[in-house]
């Protein structure tokens, strides 16, 4: 029974996998909002998440009164919905939740061209003199504060202009002050 309607097994399975997928997508998004300090969004999403969870579980438990084969089928579709929703929740979070990143690039040589390209693209950068511990050669370390929306462009530019560079990317809780130019 689903809201008072007796449905065939295949219909219940579709309701479970779709409902569970949506619920787990919301769960992933809510978790990221919680970690990122967005309590109102997290609470609102959590309300709908639990409402869906309750109804999906109720549909599954209402149907599982007939036998072992139906129970296994329901469990498989419930698990499939969990997996799909987890994947979608991760994707949704990377699209809608802005993440601040600290990018450190140790160039393989004193590559002025890459530094100039970053400047032309509007990235604020800090250039530090560095020396390789094994080679002893002088080089630069470039520090860029950016967000997850720009990281692929930065990695692509490094790969194109200095494929031997060492790149380290860390998530940053907060950035105060500094230069954040208008990206071109």
């Amino acid at each position: 029974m689903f809201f008072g309607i007796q449905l065939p097994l295949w219909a219940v399975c579709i309701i479970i996998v779709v409902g569970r997928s949506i619920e787990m997508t919301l769960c992933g998004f809510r978790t990221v909002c919680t970690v990122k300090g967005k309590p109102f969004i997290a609470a609102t999403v959590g309300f709908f998440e639990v409402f869906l969870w309750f109804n999906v579980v109720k549909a599954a438990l209402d149907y599982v009164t007939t036998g072992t084969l139906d129970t296994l089928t329901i469990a498989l579709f419930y698990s499939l919905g969990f997996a799909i929703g987890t994947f979608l929740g991760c994707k949704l979070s990377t699209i809608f939740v802005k993440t601040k990143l600290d990018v450190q690039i140790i160039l393989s040589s004193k590559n002025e061209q890459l530094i100039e390209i970053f400047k032309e693209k509007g990235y604020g950068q800090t250039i530090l003199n560095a020396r390789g511990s094994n080679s002893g050669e002088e080089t630069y370390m470039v520090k860029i504060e950016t967000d997850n929306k720009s990281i692929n462009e930065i990695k692509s530019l490094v790969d194109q202009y200095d494929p031997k560079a060492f790149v380290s990317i860390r998530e940053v809780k907060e950035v105060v002050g500094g230069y954040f130019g208008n990206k071109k």
Side-chain angles (χ1 to χ4, degrees):
M1 290 272 246
F2 187 71
F3 290 104
I5 302 169
Q6 184 65 38
L7 298 173
L9 178 62
W10 65 267
V12 173
C13 288
I14 289 173
I15 289 169
I16 288 171
V17 78
V18 170
R20 189 73 171 137
S21 296
I22 294 169
E23 183 248 321
M24 284 306 299
T25 300
L26 293 174
C27 176
F29 187 68
R30 176 190 49 81
T31 301
V32 171
C33 288
T34 301
V35 170
K36 297 291 183 184
K38 300 181 184 313
F40 180 75
I41 295 172
T44 303
V45 169
F47 172 84
F48 292 104
E49 173 193 347
V50 170
F51 180 80
L52 267 171
W53 175 85
F54 179 84
N55 284 290
V56 168
V57 168
K58 183 180 180 321
L61 292 177
D62 283 350
Y63 201 89
V64 179
T65 57
T66 54
T68 311
L69 182 59
D70 288 349
T71 303
L72 181 59
T73 303
I74 294 290
L76 287 171
F77 277 86
Y78 189 85
S79 300
L80 178 62
F82 182 93
I84 291 170
T86 300
F87 176 80
L88 293 175
C90 290
K91 290 295 184 186
L92 183 70
S93 297
T94 59
I95 293 169
F96 289 109
V97 178
K98 188 175 177 181
T99 302
K100 297 174 191 82
L101 300 172
D102 172 51
V103 183
Q104 294 182 357
I105 306 160
I106 301 175
L107 303 175
S108 63
S109 62
K110 289 198 169 194
N111 188 336
E112 302 283 342
Q113 182 184 17
L114 183 56
I115 292 170
E116 190 57 36
I117 289 169
F118 283 142
K119 186 176 181 180
E120 288 171 7
K121 296 274 186 185
Y123 291 105
Q125 30 184 352
T126 301
I127 316 303
L128 304 167
N129 288 316
R131 185 167 24 116
S133 65
N134 293 332
S135 67
E137 292 182 28
E138 296 291 321
T139 188
Y140 294 126
M141 180 170 76
V142 181
K143 288 183 57 78
I144 299 173
E145 301 300 316
T146 189
D147 60 44
N148 55 319
K149 310 259 189 259
S150 302
I151 194 63
N152 287 334
E153 180 182 46
I154 292 171
K155 290 191 302 187
S156 177
L157 289 169
V158 171
D159 191 46
Q160 183 179 352
Y161 291 97
D162 193 353
K164 293 183 180 178
F166 174 77
V167 180
S168 172
I169 303 167
R170 292 187 235 3
E171 191 170 329
V172 177
K173 177 76 175 164
E174 185 175 3
V175 176
V176 179
Y179 169 81
F180 291 91
N182 294 327
K183 285 191 17 72
K184 299 175 183 165

